[in-house]
Amino acid sequence: MAKANKKIVQSDKCTGCGICDSVCPINTKLEKKDDFDHDTAKLAIRVRNGSAVVDEEICIACGSCVRSCPVESLSIIEIAAT
Ligand code: SF4
Ligand code: SF4
């Protein structure tokens, strides 16, 4: 998986539309669980205070949210090797 050297970064263009949350494969997998609770689930990306926030511990940097964002607010960047 690509996670090791990539991450998603947010810009100030985000409108809080929530599309990224709905297309994220990590989120959609969680949503299939019977006891899914959007407020408490460990989502990879969610809208908080009107802006999408990525949980880097959970996000696998697949890029689906980046491609789906209507205002190109999200970017996937390479992290320099340490
Ligand atoms: S890059 Fe991360 S937050 Fe975005 S869709 Fe993929 S797993 Fe979800
Ligand atoms: S990052 Fe893009 S898709 Fe996600 S809530 Fe913001 S505007 Fe919508």
Side-chain angles (χ1 to χ4, degrees):
M1 198 50 83
K3 174 165 171 98
N5 58 353
K6 290 179 182 168
K7 74 171 189 173
I8 306 301
V9 291
Q10 174 67 282
S11 80
D12 59 7
K13 291 191 273 187
C14 178
T15 63
C17 71
I19 291 174
C20 50
D21 177 333
S22 64
V23 300
C24 174
I26 301 294
N27 290 7
T28 51
K29 193 172 169 189
L30 289 171
E31 284 162 12
K32 287 182 184 142
K33 291 187 176 175
D34 290 340
D35 61 350
F36 175 73
D37 180 343
H38 191 273
D39 291 338
T40 58
K42 290 189 180 298
L43 301 175
I45 189 166
R46 67 166 72 235
V47 176
R48 223 180 243 138
N49 299 323
S51 183
V53 179
V54 177
D55 186 329
E56 289 181 21
E57 296 294 315
I58 299 168
C59 169
I60 58 170
C62 69
S64 288
C65 56
V66 176
R67 292 189 292 275
S68 300
C69 177
V71 295
E72 299 180 348
S73 185
L74 301 166
S75 307
I76 188 163
I77 63 165
E78 300 277 339
I79 305 167
T82 53

